[in-house]
Amino acid sequence: VSAPPRFACRTSIALRPREGETLCGDQAASFEAGGAACLLLSDGMGSGEAAHREAAMTVRLLKQFLQAGVEPLPALKTLNTALLLRCREGAGFTTIDLLRLDRSTGEAALYKYGAAPSYLKKLGRVTRYGGAALPAGLEGADRQPDVIRFVLPPDGWLVMVSDGVVGGDGDEWLQDLLAGWEGEDPQVLAGLILKESIQREALADDCGIQVLYLPREGRVKTV
């Protein structure tokens, strides 16, 4: 029996530390877990070594949970509790952006703990998804993250960024850039977003970008 049709996907990550720092306080990963494509982006409080350590730990643990078969919501709740205990001991909080894409259907779920807005482009239109949940680990943070569900069709894009990418000037420029983008290489798009952000924000904060693209050819057969 052949495997069910699956969506091909391409991803890209771009990270840059704030001016004067060598380590980036934003960390990211893309990986497979349970037949789904997962994208993770975490922004540690502040910048430098401490922020890098907290964000890297968050990404590492959540990846381990998901690849071990834990569903996203229980995994996030467990991690939020652990980070809350760490914050009480003096560690910093982190934001969490998690995208889980079912590669057999194109159905996606975006989970947010205090993260910056994300941007979906499908059928030529750009939709901005924000959230109200507090960052993971904050005292009194919501036990549940924001959850946004949608379907990503072929030639669809999903862009996740940290707040260092879209700072005080708003994010209209990013929505316009994505709306006018006609390429097919997520690495090129991530580089363009990062370049424009640096020109606008002058690396006043760490920058983290995750880009996911479902190619026009859509479904591919896996053996």
Side-chain angles (χ1 to χ4, degrees):
V1 179
S2 62
R6 295 164 70 82
F7 284 96
C9 61
R10 303 174 191 165
T11 63
S12 182
I13 295 170
L15 300 173
R16 281 289 298 270
R18 69 172 292 178
E19 192 73 38
E21 297 288 352
T22 56
L23 292 175
C24 185
D26 299 344
Q27 291 294 291
S30 58
F31 54 93
E32 288 275 324
C38 296
L39 272 68
L40 261 175
L41 180 62
S42 178
D43 179 357
M45 182 184 68
S47 58
E49 183 177 352
H52 172 85
R53 182 174 59 249
E54 295 301 317
M57 182 197 70
T58 297
V59 168
R60 183 179 68 254
L61 290 178
L62 192 48
K63 179 181 178 180
Q64 289 174 353
F65 287 152
L66 295 171
Q67 290 189 324
V70 182
E71 289 296 313
L73 281 175
L76 288 163
K77 184 176 179 180
T78 299
L79 187 57
N80 184 44
T81 300
L83 290 171
L84 178 60
L85 295 175
R86 286 180 61 81
C87 280
R88 288 173 179 170
E89 296 170 357
F93 59 83
T94 65
T95 70
I96 299 175
D97 247 333
L98 167 64
L99 175 75
R100 185 183 186 279
L101 173 71
D102 186 329
R103 296 210 301 115
S104 65
T105 64
E107 295 176 343
L110 183 61
Y111 303 85
K112 287 181 167 291
Y113 266 128
S118 298
Y119 306 86
L120 170 69
K121 180 179 181 179
K122 69 175 184 178
L123 305 177
R125 295 186 61 184
V126 176
T127 303
R128 177 184 189 270
Y129 291 124
L134 296 173
L138 276 184
E139 191 74 46
D142 294 336
R143 291 295 178 237
Q144 299 287 343
D146 295 298
V147 185
I148 302 133
R149 301 185 189 277
F150 53 89
V151 175
L152 192 63
D155 201 30
W157 295 82
L158 193 283
V159 176
M160 300 157 63
V161 299
S162 67
D163 61 2
V165 175
V166 286
D169 289 338
D171 61 2
E172 290 84 2
W173 66 268
L174 177 51
Q175 296 187 61
D176 291 343
L177 189 159
L178 185 55
W181 169 252
E182 295 183 352
E184 296 187 358
D185 188 335
Q187 187 172 356
V188 174
L189 178 57
L192 286 173
I193 294 171
L194 182 61
K195 180 180 178 181
E196 181 68 20
S197 174
I198 291 173
Q199 291 177 347
R200 290 173 176 272
E201 305 295 333
L203 282 179
D205 194 2
D206 300 304
C207 295
I209 302 166
Q210 272 265 34
V211 178
L212 170 71
Y213 174 55
L214 289 192
R216 296 177 192 274
E217 59 266 26
R219 294 180 183 272
V220 295
K221 284 283 188 180
T222 57
V223 178

